[in-house]
Amino acid sequence: MRHEPSKPPAPYGACPSPAQLAWHELERYAILHFALNTYTDAEWAFGDESPRLFDPRDFDADALVRVLKETGFSGLLLVAKHHGGFCLWPSATTDFSVEASPWRDGKGDMVREFADACRAHGVKLGIYCSPWDRNHATYGTPAYLDVYRTQLRELLTGYGDLFTVWFDGANGGDGFYGGAREARTIDRTTYYDWPTTWRMVRELQQNAVLFSDVGPDIRWVGNEAGIAKDPHWATYTPIGGSKPEAPAPGDTQYERGETGDRGGKFWIPAECDVPLRPGWFWHAAHEGKAKTPAQLLELYFASVGRGACLDLGIVLDPSGRMPTGDVDVLRAFSATLRSTFAQDFARGAIARATNVRGEDAAFSPQHVVDGHAPTYWATDDDVTTAELTLEFDAPVTFDVVRLREHVEFGQRVARFTLQVAEGGAWRTIHEGSTIGARRLVKLDAPRTTSAVRVRIDEALACPTLSEVALFRME
Ligand code: IPT
């Protein structure tokens, strides 16, 4: 080894901001939908529902947040106002809020109760406030922008630190609109003047990542099935739907978000939002129709396992409780994840590589098994294919492999192969594409071996790997 230290690889292409890097670590959080339409069996409230319907007598923010904490969800993304316009907090912009409801005699603030519970349990809080508002009389006119921004300002200044602010692109046209009961169409590329709103969010919540179809920080994956496609890139160049050069929330070629773009212009990683039940809101007919723990595990591998985050939709029923069957599913799902990832069998292996950057210990392959995310193995600048081998004292058995690139310097790996030593030869057990912030490979059956090899077959620039971990699920 040389004594003169080598420089880390230069950043390649679009790279994450510190807030985006922190977001990648969240892995999975939950989005909660609860509003007047919980009481009317509708997915989208029209905006003319009586606030008197809103009476969740058993509502207990602390109990719900405790379940999320216990089941390993890092955050709660609260739908503070959905398309129907009903505000879960007493907003100065409208009477259509909890203030007009029988809940807590009109003196309650659900956002406050959730914020307090989240703080108490160390669960992060995020806010969704629907840009579309089917109740407000001003919707569709310039005056509504003030209303909307005032609502955001209330939410962004009154409840502490938020980890994300989520901008939905949905807009269906018709609504109550203060009694007009008509269809109102807006130009999604211009009406909301998003750059101004985003600037305001950045000023008020410096650590929050902003989500929409076009980012700027986190993108919609492009389906509500919970699936990031393979290959999957955090780099992305949004393209508009109606105007290719003017992508906007609700007006993009959003299917392109499923894979992202190799060498895309911006670092805008994907969030996979998917409801636990058939809909985002509670419906009596959906009782017993929640996804199974096995289905959730599959989604975990298809989202988190491809470098995205999983945003799971949960509901409260009209009483304000999370249905017990849903809680049971979350518990079983998290129990499997917890036991699977409890022990990393690669820890402590002897690691060797065909190339080490500057032959410098700072970039040693040993870093992929040190359990320390900030350290990584890297190759020399002109080396974009390489092999990294892990050798074990005694054979290990595993059926899940986790790989992580040191994405601070950009996403690089485009193709890799996993091999195990078997009878004196290398046997391929998996051929993969991208790695990114996190790649999970679930094997069909457990493998027992005394050596594992990761072959980087193609990379856009010299590869960096911060982790190779081996787990046993079954
Ligand atoms: C869909 C929106 O059109 C899109 O912009 C994005 O916000 C997405 O929701 C998030 O899930 S609407 C849905 C009915 C597909």
Side-chain angles (χ1 to χ4, degrees), residues 44 166-170 211 213 220 224 249-250 273 280:
W44 283 358
W166 214 94
F167 298 102
D168 200 328
F211 167 101
D213 292 357
W220 182 39
E224 291 186 347
D273 62 329
W280 292 106

Side-chain angles (χ1 to χ4, degrees), residues 80-127:
K81 181 191 84 170
H82 199 244
H83 309 326
F86 183 73
C87 298
L88 296 188
W89 78 105
S91 171
T93 62
T94 179
D95 296 330
F96 200 57
S97 79
V98 282
E99 264 188 302
S101 81
W103 178 67
R104 306 255 193 274
D105 292 325
K107 297 189 177 63
D109 180 343
M110 223 169 238
V111 181
R112 164 95 44 234
E113 292 189 24
F114 276 120
D116 290 348
C118 282
R119 201 169 307 116
H121 295 287
V123 170
K124 292 182 185 297
L125 179 70
I127 287 290

Side-chain angles (χ1 to χ4, degrees), residues 387-408:
E387 287 169 3
L388 182 149
T389 308
L390 303 183
E391 282 165 33
F392 307 98
D393 285 346
V396 294
T397 302
F398 63 94
D399 56 6
V400 174
V401 182
R402 187 169 70 203
L403 305 173
R404 305 194 68 176
E405 282 183 71
H406 186 71
V407 291
E408 199 179 322

Side-chain angles (χ1 to χ4, degrees), residues 371-447:
H372 190 54
T375 59
Y376 56 94
W377 162 62
T379 63
D380 287 320
D381 281 342
D382 56 348
V383 173
T384 54
T385 61
E387 287 169 3
L388 182 149
T389 308
L390 303 183
E391 282 165 33
F392 307 98
D393 285 346
V396 294
T397 302
F398 63 94
D399 56 6
V400 174
V401 182
R402 187 169 70 203
L403 305 173
R404 305 194 68 176
E405 282 183 71
H406 186 71
V407 291
E408 199 179 322
F409 301 147
Q411 188 172 350
R412 298 155 179 254
V413 177
R415 243 165 4 96
F416 68 94
T417 301
L418 295 177
Q419 299 178 317
V420 292
E422 206 176 84
W426 288 106
R427 184 190 174 96
T428 295
I429 55 168
H430 181 81
E431 289 179 346
S433 60
T434 48
I435 296 176
R438 194 179 284 97
R439 162 66 67 164
L440 294 169
V441 175
K442 170 80 179 70
L443 305 176
D444 292 338
R447 293 274 174 177

Side-chain angles (χ1 to χ4, degrees), residues 117-244:
C118 282
R119 201 169 307 116
H121 295 287
V123 170
K124 292 182 185 297
L125 179 70
I127 287 290
Y128 167 124
C129 183
S130 171
W132 183 29
D133 190 320
R134 303 175 92 188
N135 171 264
H136 213 279
T138 61
Y139 184 77
T141 73
Y144 173 72
L145 276 206
D146 282 340
V147 172
Y148 182 57
R149 288 186 184 136
T150 301
Q151 292 178 345
L152 280 175
R153 192 174 281 278
E154 290 171 350
L155 291 165
L156 272 45
T157 56
Y159 303 94
D161 279 352
L162 304 176
F163 80 96
T164 189
V165 184
W166 214 94
F167 298 102
D168 200 328
N171 193 308
D174 67 334
F176 175 67
Y177 303 130
R181 298 184 182 278
E182 61 189 8
R184 291 184 182 175
T185 48
I186 48 117
D187 181 340
R188 293 171 200 218
T189 63
T190 54
Y191 177 60
Y192 292 105
D193 176 18
W194 286 116
T196 301
T197 300
W198 290 340
R199 236 182 347 260
M200 179 184 104
V201 178
R202 291 242 192 267
E203 267 165 37
L204 299 177
Q205 289 283 342
Q206 275 146 28
N207 301 321
V209 286
L210 283 67
F211 167 101
S212 85
D213 292 357
V214 299
D217 300 323
I218 309 297
R219 74 178 191 261
W220 182 39
V221 76
N223 64 65
E224 291 186 347
I227 293 171
K229 298 238 164 106
D230 200 359
H232 191 76
W233 297 91
T235 46
Y236 187 51
T237 313
I239 296 180
S242 63
K243 302 173 208 162

